[in-house]
Amino acid sequence: MPDLGRSDFDRLMMPNYNPAGFVPVRGQGSRVLDSDGAEYVDLAGGIATTALGHAHPELVAVLVEQAGALWHMSNAFVNEPSLRLAESLISRTFESRVFFSNSGGEANEAAFKLARRYASDHHGPEKHELISFSGSFHGRTLFTVSVGGKELYTQGFGPLPGGITHLPFNDVAALEASVGPQTCAVVLEPIQGEGGVVPATAEFIQAARRLCDENEALLVFDEVQSGVGRTGTLYAFQQFGVQPDILTTAKALGNGIPVAATIAIPRVAASLVVGTHGSTYGGNPLACTVANRVLELIDTPEVRAGVLERHGRVVERLLEIDREGFFGEVRGMGLLIGAQLRPEFAGKAKSIQVAALEAGVLCLVAGPDVIRFAPSLIIPMADLELGLDRFEQAFAGATSGWESA
Ligand SMILES: *Cc1c(COP(=O)(O)O)cnc(C)c1O
């Protein structure tokens, strides 16, 4: 037993989290051990972060090697791993320039600031409206939480940054009615993660691109969760055939090591002139070394095919497990899968997640009504089946006594 555990949390930590009762101490692939030696199957993939599983030997090796060489200097110097990572991201996405930071929220903060700065440089300060969507999540800084589509997250933090308009997601008519000469950028997740695992429709994404072009506004895709192979292509936008002007990526990019990138087409990137923005740790050689290997390992035809195969299996088993039809819908892309409870069971996702924990399987929720699965992209099929067996057992227990209307 470690000396400190869950019972010490409340006296030491700010109360903004409510962690589980057990303490994970080791991870190997898609299995996690707690301090009592109990073992869990990780169908959460950290939190859509550890896309190559825990303690991947090649990532451990490059991390240890770089740890013995150089951890950090500052952005007063270049370092080879960050330049290599920029080159890798550009070659795998589109012609662009890269800004590195440490988290999804920071990558989006940079994206939104850059969009404002670009509009101010080229059109003047009136063109400052950011359009985003209900259900969206972009991070927890004051700007990103204000752009995000969940009012609960901004309550009590005012005054909030202005010039932000929220529209319903996937509503082409609302978008057509709102984007105008005042619009600086339209910001969206190609598949909303935290908001309930809701894919954008192709028509919606295409309309956003067209309206941005017609109004000289920028299209920003937040792929912090959907990126780095999660949906079956390296980035989800590559399946929609629509290229953004600014792309953000984080979570799985470092497989758990904090690293994030904001990627912008050169004409837009040019507005972030010397001194306009920065990050002490952004682009540090330690994190970039890991991210370089993550991209090499994930961006392969084998991993892509494996994600699609696993997607099919998870969806198939969830539909089998839910014999009673408590889920209204199982949806998602690749290994970002959501099971939405029917309206009569609204608010009960957490109770299923807790039962799953007790049965030895980690999954996520996405809001009060959706169970979310975001396992490692290379989870062994046997681990996937074992995790779903345990989920089946937990689901049967948690829903016993529920009655469909
Ligand atoms: C997790 C997430 C963020 C925030 O990332 P942090 O690393 O927690 O700052 C932003 N956008 C999306 C879509 C996310 O899923």
Side-chain angles (χ1 to χ4, degrees), residues 162-181:
I164 300 164
T165 302
H166 293 97
L167 300 177
F169 192 56
N170 277 338
D171 186 335
V172 173
L175 202 55
E176 274 170 348
S178 303
V179 182

Side-chain angles (χ1 to χ4, degrees), residues 51-52 92 228-236 238-239 295-312 333-335 377-378:
L52 290 166
R92 294 171 204 273
V228 195
R230 172 88 17 222
T231 67
T233 45
L234 190 64
Y235 289 92
Q238 292 162 329
Q239 290 177 56
L295 286 179
E296 286 168 5
L297 291 171
I298 284 183
D299 194 17
T300 70
E302 293 72 31
V303 170
R304 272 195 290 283
V307 167
L308 298 183
E309 182 191 358
R310 286 164 179 77
H311 169 92
M333 296 168 71
L335 284 173
L377 308 183
I378 57 167

Side-chain angles (χ1 to χ4, degrees), residues 102-106 108 137-140 189 194 222 224-225 250-251:
N102 317 286
S103 66
E106 284 172 87
N108 286 325
F137 181 74
H138 301 299
R140 298 286 204 151
E189 295 160 82
E194 305 298 313
D222 175 350
V224 167
Q225 183 157 169
K251 286 206 168 87

Side-chain angles (χ1 to χ4, degrees), residues 312-391:
R313 189 60 189 143
V314 173
V315 169
E316 182 178 45
R317 287 235 28 210
L318 286 175
L319 294 174
E320 270 168 30
I321 286 168
D322 183 34
R323 275 174 226 101
E324 314 277 344
F326 296 129
F327 293 138
E329 191 180 19
V330 174
R331 61 177 177 245
M333 296 168 71
L335 284 173
L336 182 53
I337 295 171
Q340 164 108 43
L341 290 168
R342 293 215 329 240
E344 42 299 24
F345 310 112
K348 295 193 176 211
K350 184 80 193 174
S351 66
I352 295 173
Q353 184 196 25
V354 169
L357 266 186
E358 285 162 3
V361 58
L362 311 177
C363 58
L364 301 164
V365 295
D369 315 326
V370 177
I371 303 283
R372 175 174 38 148
F373 297 91
S376 159
L377 308 183
I378 57 167
I379 182 173
M381 284 315 249
D383 285 8
L384 190 62
E385 299 292 351
L386 177 64
L388 289 165
D389 290 345
R390 291 179 182 178
F391 183 78

